[in-house]
Amino acid sequence: MFSSFLSSLLLLLLAVVYANAEIQYHDFIVKETSVKRLCKRHRIITVNDQYPGPTLTVTDGDTLVIKVTNLARYNITLHWHGIRQLRTAWADGPDYITQCPIVPGATYVYQFTIIDQEGSLWWHAHASWLRATVHGALIIYPKLGKSYPFDKPQREYPIILGEWWNRDPNEVLRQATITGAAPNVSDAFTINGRPGDLYSCSNQGTSLFPVVSGETILFRFISASMNTELFVSIAGHLMTVVAADSAYTKPFTTTVIMLGPGQTTDVLVTADQPEGRYYIAARAYASAQGVPFDNTTVTAILDYKFSGCTAVHGAQTMPIPLVPLLPAYNDTATATAFSTSLRSPGPVNVPDPVNVSLFFTVGLGLFNCPLGMICGGPNGTRFGASINNVSFVLPSTISLLQAYYFDVPGIYTEDFPPEPPIIFDFTGNNISQSLQQPVQGTRVYRLKYGSIVQIVFQGTNIVSGEEHPMHVHGYQFYVLATGFGNFNPDVDTEKFNMVDPPERNTIGVPVNGWAVIRFVADNPGVWLVHCHIDAHLTWGLAMAFIVENGEGEDEKLLPPPFDLPVC
């Protein structure tokens, strides 16, 4: 009881060190809600009957206290994607990593303080496939007296890109889990929960963004997509990129942006075209060859002529919006050009020298079909995925953070390999079948507080090469370089950007390529690292770090502020 009180007190003290910081209280009710999409009514899981869920707007330094009551039929947790959770790993949210799930009928309170962060982030369910409909924007504004590093726009809109199934997404997951096959692709993409004019029965609910001629708009793009990376364009308009993953960037102008699941991108758009209606459109970037994907296109409307602030448009007679030119589905060159254009606004102090160097292969794999079963993967196998040939298995009786903090034995082992057990031609076309089957385990890697960590994420061509958006919980990191083929330290180290590398929380590892990131392990706790394509996470493309406490009192994980859910 005393430790819970002390933890809550410390969190509140953290908030008051920021001038004008506030404590915000929110009630999130998780429940089924009836919505109509693609000509049919569906019962989906939502927060407060909203799809997408409530937008949280905070100021750097604010404390959030969010009471979550689960009235749905599924277990749930919520993750505050991109929030660093400094010393408050208990609030991070991935199920069985930092907490047991919130069971139906139960309540849990998340409490955390925003510390030196601003920009566009988001929150989402982190249990099963509930984040398909349980998600929302989390916008962090600069402290009072501090401004954007660009002229303040006249208006701003969050734009959440999502995926929609005409079935319960958890049923799609359950079927794939039973058969071992790839899950069915989505039936539509959405913008702020709406599929748009190009889908059946959808033009009366297309998301609409009213603008005034001559003004500048800040669009906060957030990818809540489950399994698909997306190209986005706005007909007739240029976009000036000013931030990604809540970190400001050197501004650059483009006609197309690309977001992987979990990523955010802020752009400025000037309403400088003839008054009219223009489509904002998005469709898949499908980097894997021969793999089925949703090839539909979602649209919203940028509308110069409006009266009032309506959120959707109806079937009245209106001019047909202009359509943007989107890249081809497999246009890796455009995806690469966009991601490599991101730079920090000015010189940064890249952590150096490195004292923990890790090499992680990330990719798919196959498991042999159990005797007596019929499996739906290639050649009668089951799909899997792994990092360094370890396919991650979640515990089921207690979370990893609880097991670590309370010293509960037998839940995990600390033998996650720092490099792949076998070195081979990772991106070659003739990979031996003996390398296809990973081993399963709940294995973690321990880091000392203050370690300077460098990770090479190396994609593999096992089963199929594709881009993997890798997310590191609890941390922002610098992306030093990306490339194609096998990482060669003798050559590729010279390509490292040590001047103005972009800062991110989710990085796309290029198809049959590599990415190098670096960060300081200054946030104690247990932190999940995983591919944000949910099919890949389901198959085991994940691992976890234990980051030890430091020596000072402000370098230690705080006690859990409330009673924790029980598995």
Side-chain angles (χ1 to χ4, degrees):
M1 179 68 71
F2 178 74
S3 64
S4 295
F5 170 77
L6 179 61
S7 173
S8 299
L9 179 63
L10 287 173
L11 279 171
L12 295 181
L13 289 174
L14 281 173
V16 300
V17 301
Y18 288 82
N20 302 293
E22 296 182 357
I23 302 174
Q24 294 193 20
Y25 296 89
H26 299 272
D27 283 308
F28 276 17
I29 309 298
V30 180
K31 59 185 293 190
E32 285 192 2
T33 300
S34 177
V35 301
K36 186 176 182 180
R37 297 291 187 275
L38 304 185
C39 311
K40 299 178 182 178
R41 296 212 70 84
H42 305 264
R43 295 195 65 80
I44 64 172
I45 308 300
T46 64
V47 167
N48 296 353
D49 287 319
Q50 298 177 43
Y51 170 56
T55 294
L56 298 175
T57 57
V58 300
T59 299
D60 181 21
D62 285 355
T63 293
L64 282 166
V65 182
I66 302 168
K67 179 182 177 182
V68 179
T69 301
N70 185 8
L71 301 183
R73 65 186 187 274
Y74 297 118
N75 293 345
I76 195 167
T77 64
L78 294 183
H79 169 53
W80 319 94
H81 187 109
I83 298 296
R84 288 213 55 200
Q85 299 291 357
L86 286 166
R87 304 175 64 208
T88 55
W90 304 105
D92 193 44
D95 64 339
Y96 299 105
I97 301 296
T98 59
Q99 68 174 93
C100 293
I102 309 167
V103 300
T107 294
Y108 183 65
V109 178
Y110 293 92
Q111 180 172 305
F112 55 91
T113 299
I114 312 296
I115 301 175
D116 292 333
Q117 289 188 269
E118 55 189 71
S120 302
L121 294 173
W122 62 303
W123 59 266
H124 61 81
H126 212 300
S128 303
W129 275 21
L130 291 177
R131 79 172 178 88
T133 56
V134 179
H135 57 251
L138 201 172
I139 310 302
I140 308 172
Y141 290 102
K143 298 175 189 176
L144 187 65
K146 184 180 177 183
S147 62
Y148 298 130
F150 45 81
D151 290 339
K152 185 177 180 179
Q154 281 73 39
R155 75 180 68 222
E156 61 178 68
Y157 295 110
I159 296 183
I160 301 179
L161 307 167
E163 276 184 273
W164 174 268
W165 279 264
N166 276 330
R167 296 173 57 197
D168 180 341
N170 269 0
E171 285 300 309
V172 175
L173 171 61
R174 189 178 72 88
Q175 179 183 354
T177 301
I178 291 172
T179 65
N184 292 343
V185 300
S186 52
D187 295 292
F189 298 114
T190 58
I191 290 178
N192 289 356
R194 303 282 180 170
D197 289 353
L198 305 185
Y199 295 94
S200 299
C201 310
S202 299
N203 64 342
Q204 292 192 26
T206 298
S207 295
L208 184 145
F209 301 99
V211 299
V212 173
S213 183
E215 68 183 4
T216 298
I217 308 96
L218 175 63
F219 286 113
R220 301 176 180 271
F221 285 98
I222 298 166
S223 179
S225 169
M226 294 288 287
N227 297 317
T228 309
E229 298 189 295
L230 293 166
F231 288 121
V232 184
S233 290
I234 304 177
H237 293 75
L238 295 174
M239 295 178 283
T240 299
V241 177
V242 293
D245 288 358
S246 78
Y248 294 116
T249 65
K250 280 188 173 71
F252 68 95
T253 301
T254 180
T255 59
V256 60
I257 63 175
M258 195 279 287
L259 296 95
Q263 293 181 324
T264 70
T265 302
D266 294 356
V267 304
L268 295 174
V269 174
T270 301
D272 57 2
Q273 296 301 300
E275 289 192 354
R277 295 156 63 81
Y278 300 82
Y279 273 137
I280 303 170
R283 72 178 184 190
Y285 164 49
S287 59
Q289 295 184 3
V291 175
F293 65 94
D294 184 341
N295 63 0
T296 61
T297 301
V298 60
T299 57
I301 295 174
L302 187 69
D303 189 1
Y304 278 70
K305 293 186 176 182
F306 73 98
S307 55
C309 294
T310 180
V312 297
H313 82 113
Q316 303 96 323
T317 301
M318 293 183 178
I320 298 174
L322 295 179
V323 181
L325 180 64
L326 286 162
Y329 297 114
N330 62 350
D331 192 345
T332 294
T334 294
T336 303
F338 172 75
S339 62
T340 56
S341 295
L342 296 169
R343 293 284 189 273
S344 289
V348 298
N349 293 320
V350 178
D352 198 60
V354 172
N355 48 37
V356 178
S357 186
L358 304 171
F359 189 97
F360 287 176
T361 55
V362 295
L364 305 185
L366 299 171
F367 290 109
N368 293 331
C369 189
L371 291 175
M373 289 186 63
I374 299 175
C375 296
N379 301 315
T381 61
R382 297 177 61 86
F383 274 107
S386 67
I387 299 178
N388 281 355
N389 204 46
V390 177
S391 186
F392 189 72
V393 178
L394 289 171
S396 60
T397 59
I398 191 173
S399 74
L400 290 182
L401 183 59
Q402 288 169 278
Y404 165 64
Y405 187 82
F406 296 109
D407 198 23
V408 179
I411 305 301
Y412 60 84
T413 58
E414 296 188 23
D415 57 349
F416 188 87
E419 59 187 24
I422 299 174
I423 304 299
F424 59 98
D425 183 2
F426 305 115
T427 58
N429 293 320
N430 298 303
I431 297 175
S432 170
Q433 290 188 359
S434 65
L435 297 170
Q436 291 184 353
Q437 184 152 320
V439 296
Q440 292 183 303
T442 308
R443 301 162 70 174
V444 305
Y445 192 90
R446 185 182 285 258
L447 293 169
K448 291 184 177 179
Y449 185 92
S451 298
I452 296 177
V453 183
Q454 179 172 292
I455 305 175
V456 177
F457 288 116
Q458 173 67 62
T460 74
N461 199 30
I462 297 175
V463 183
S464 176
E466 64 181 293
E467 181 155 307
H468 296 284
M470 299 300 298
H471 175 45
V472 180
H473 285 234
Y475 286 89
Q476 291 277 106
F477 51 75
Y478 290 111
V479 181
L480 301 188
T482 60
F484 294 97
N486 299 324
F487 177 78
N488 183 343
D490 294 332
V491 175
D492 294 326
T493 302
E494 298 177 2
K495 303 174 184 177
F496 286 3
N497 178 1
M498 302 295 286
V499 178
D500 58 356
E503 190 176 4
R504 307 214 67 169
N505 62 53
T506 307
I507 178 61
V509 179
V511 53
N512 286 328
W514 50 268
V516 181
I517 69 169
R518 193 178 293 185
F519 62 94
V520 179
D522 58 359
N523 193 9
V526 178
W527 304 105
L528 184 64
V529 178
H530 67 99
C531 181
H532 222 281
I533 293 176
D534 269 37
H536 297 177
L537 173 58
T538 300
W539 293 336
L541 212 169
M543 60 84 63
F545 286 119
I546 289 175
V547 179
E548 299 174 343
N549 284 327
E551 295 297 324
E553 283 304 310
D554 60 349
E555 298 175 349
K556 290 180 170 61
L557 175 66
L558 292 170
F562 306 104
D563 290 337
L564 296 169
V566 177
C567 291

